[in-house]
Amino acid sequence: MEKTTNNATVAPRGRFAPSPSGRMHLGNIYTALVSWLSVRAAGGKWILRIEDLDPFRSKPEYARLIEEDLGRLGLDWDEGGINGKGMESPCMQSLRHHLYADASRRLADAGLTYGCRCRRAEILATQAPHQSDGRIVYSGKCRPCPEPPFPRKEAEGTATRLYVPDIEIGYSDRMAGYVSFNLAKECGDFVIRRTDGAWAYQLAVVADDHDMGITEVVRGCDLLLSGAQQKYLYGLLGATPPEFAHLPLICNENGQRLSKRDKSLGLDELFSRHNPEEIIGMTAHLAGITERAEPCQPKDLIAQFDWKSLRRGNAIIVDAEGRFCRTEVFS
Ligand code: GLU
């Protein structure tokens, strides 16, 4: 699965980008395992980036726990993390604001951004917009004129929004196949910086993935629309987007994406009942990598990893013990 760019063969670079707002659960481990195996099977590099953009939700102790848990499970990273292994500085978004400021300035220079005083949607902007959070389509109310270029005007107390055109933006997803979205209808002009100065997820993730030379992004399928927003941003910044793979979400028996409320599937509880090999075995079976949930280490799975064998659909439903129940496809 090596990629060829400009006639040179490059090994893939994947990343895991958790937000340190709580301890990880089975759903996070599933994303991490698939992403790790994909690059390991192709001889690539795996990078750990701590997405602590939101100063109110992010806690350093969770970042430490993320590292401890990944280490305990045998999901080792080649670059990044709190100590910035192989990098000039710790791989935490809170320390990378200069990159986001630079990208934002380029978009402003192109006349594509404007200040917005509407409050509701921008609050959510630092977080990846998982669909269960609810989606808000922005009306374009604060646009200074109907179409860009917008005048360059820094105004106090405004969020910065990026213009989106009324056209389809599509991409081929490794799991979902070809998908296409009209951003004007799905989300409208989106926030790239909040009023309080916090950088938004969409801008930061593109600036970071580009800066780190990421070639493949593996995450939950509730971020399929974000793939189109990010592809649009890559185009504006003159960069090549990575390949996207949006996995089914691990959901509880009520069909809800796992979260802190599913205590029994958080790593606090899982580690109290299982050893690391059992957790990896359960996760590999949920993903469709193995036929049975037998204890193993991630490295035991490298040789057999194959994207084609993974379970598909929008959701993988698990019971309170983390056992596979069924897959679901939402219409
Ligand atoms: N920090 C984001 C999250 O935890 C990462 C999403 C992504 O991988 O792009 O949902």
Side-chain angles (χ1 to χ4, degrees):
M1 209 171 289
E2 290 199 328
K3 262 188 125 172
T4 304
T5 317
N6 300 336
N7 300 326
T9 303
V10 291
R13 288 172 64 82
R15 55 41 165 203
F16 182 51
S19 301
S21 55
R23 197 164 185 187
M24 294 191 293
H25 51 62
L26 197 59
N28 306 117
I29 300 309
Y30 158 72
T31 305
L33 179 66
V34 174
S35 161
W36 186 92
L37 283 171
S38 174
V39 294
R40 290 282 176 260
K45 300 267 189 243
W46 202 57
I47 292 116
L48 174 62
R49 181 171 73 230
I50 305 293
E51 300 216 320
D52 58 345
L53 279 182
D54 196 318
F56 305 109
R57 289 164 46 98
S58 307
K59 301 258 181 312
E61 55 270 32
Y62 288 129
R64 278 194 294 278
L65 264 178
I66 287 169
E67 291 208 341
E68 245 176 72
D69 289 336
L70 291 173
R72 226 169 135 183
L73 291 164
L75 295 165
D76 60 328
W77 56 99
D78 304 293
E79 292 171 29
I82 301 169
N83 296 322
K85 187 175 178 185
M87 293 184 167
E88 279 163 26
S89 61
C91 192
M92 308 185 65
Q93 290 188 318
S94 53
L95 300 175
R96 300 171 59 82
H97 288 188
H98 56 287
L99 279 175
Y100 318 143
D102 183 57
S104 167
R105 186 191 40 75
R106 291 172 57 194
L107 298 170
D109 287 348
L112 292 170
T113 61
Y114 60 91
C116 168
R117 293 189 189 278
C118 307
R119 298 315 276 248
R120 215 167 124 237
E122 61 141 329
I123 304 297
L124 295 172
T126 57
Q127 299 163 38
H130 299 282
Q131 261 159 40
S132 51
D133 299 339
R135 191 185 287 173
I136 299 162
V137 181
Y138 183 64
S139 65
K141 184 164 164 249
C142 287
R143 272 192 197 176
C145 50
E147 292 294 320
F150 302 128
R152 239 208 114 147
K153 204 166 58 182
E154 307 287 340
E156 285 286 304
T158 61
T160 308
R161 277 189 192 273
L162 174 69
Y163 163 86
V164 300
D166 189 4
I167 53 168
E168 291 283 318
I169 296 185
Y171 62 95
S172 278
D173 187 87
R174 220 182 259 179
M175 291 295 278
Y178 184 77
V179 290
S180 154
F181 299 93
N182 180 319
L183 298 183
K185 300 204 167 61
E186 299 285 343
C187 59
D189 298 346
F190 57 88
V191 173
I192 57 169
R193 194 179 199 193
R194 277 193 335 204
T195 308
D196 65 2
W199 294 103
Y201 159 78
Q202 302 293 1
L203 182 77
V205 85
V206 168
D208 278 335
D209 284 339
H210 174 59
D211 179 67
M212 294 175 191
I214 299 301
T215 62
E216 59 177 64
V217 164
V218 178
R219 59 190 178 196
C221 68
D222 54 349
L223 292 172
L224 263 179
L225 170 63
S226 291
Q229 289 171 268
Q230 291 165 22
K231 183 173 175 197
Y232 170 56
L233 269 167
Y234 275 99
L236 297 180
L237 296 169
T240 311
E243 204 175 327
F244 292 109
H246 288 96
L247 304 174
L249 299 181
I250 304 288
C251 293
N252 64 22
E253 286 170 295
N254 298 325
Q256 298 158 315
R257 170 175 165 254
L258 291 192
S259 70
K260 285 188 205 82
R261 88 193 136 229
D262 302 286
K263 276 202 165 15
S264 62
L265 300 176
L267 280 179
D268 270 338
E269 289 270 331
L270 285 174
F271 275 131
S272 72
R273 297 197 309 273
H274 301 282
N275 63 38
E277 285 81 8
E278 285 168 343
I279 298 173
I280 291 297
M282 280 163 62
T283 313
H285 175 62
L286 287 181
I289 299 163
T290 52
E291 270 171 35
R292 279 184 300 277
E294 278 166 5
C296 62
Q297 294 185 19
K299 62 180 164 52
D300 303 330
L301 302 168
I302 296 173
Q304 74 199 78
F305 180 78
D306 180 0
W307 277 96
K308 290 200 272 305
S309 74
L310 298 191
R311 289 187 211 274
R312 277 153 207 269
N314 300 89
I316 295 174
I317 312 290
V318 299
D319 68 12
E321 299 296 314
R323 283 182 296 242
F324 174 74
C325 299
R326 61 187 184 279
T327 54
E328 270 184 17
V329 178
F330 309 140
S331 51

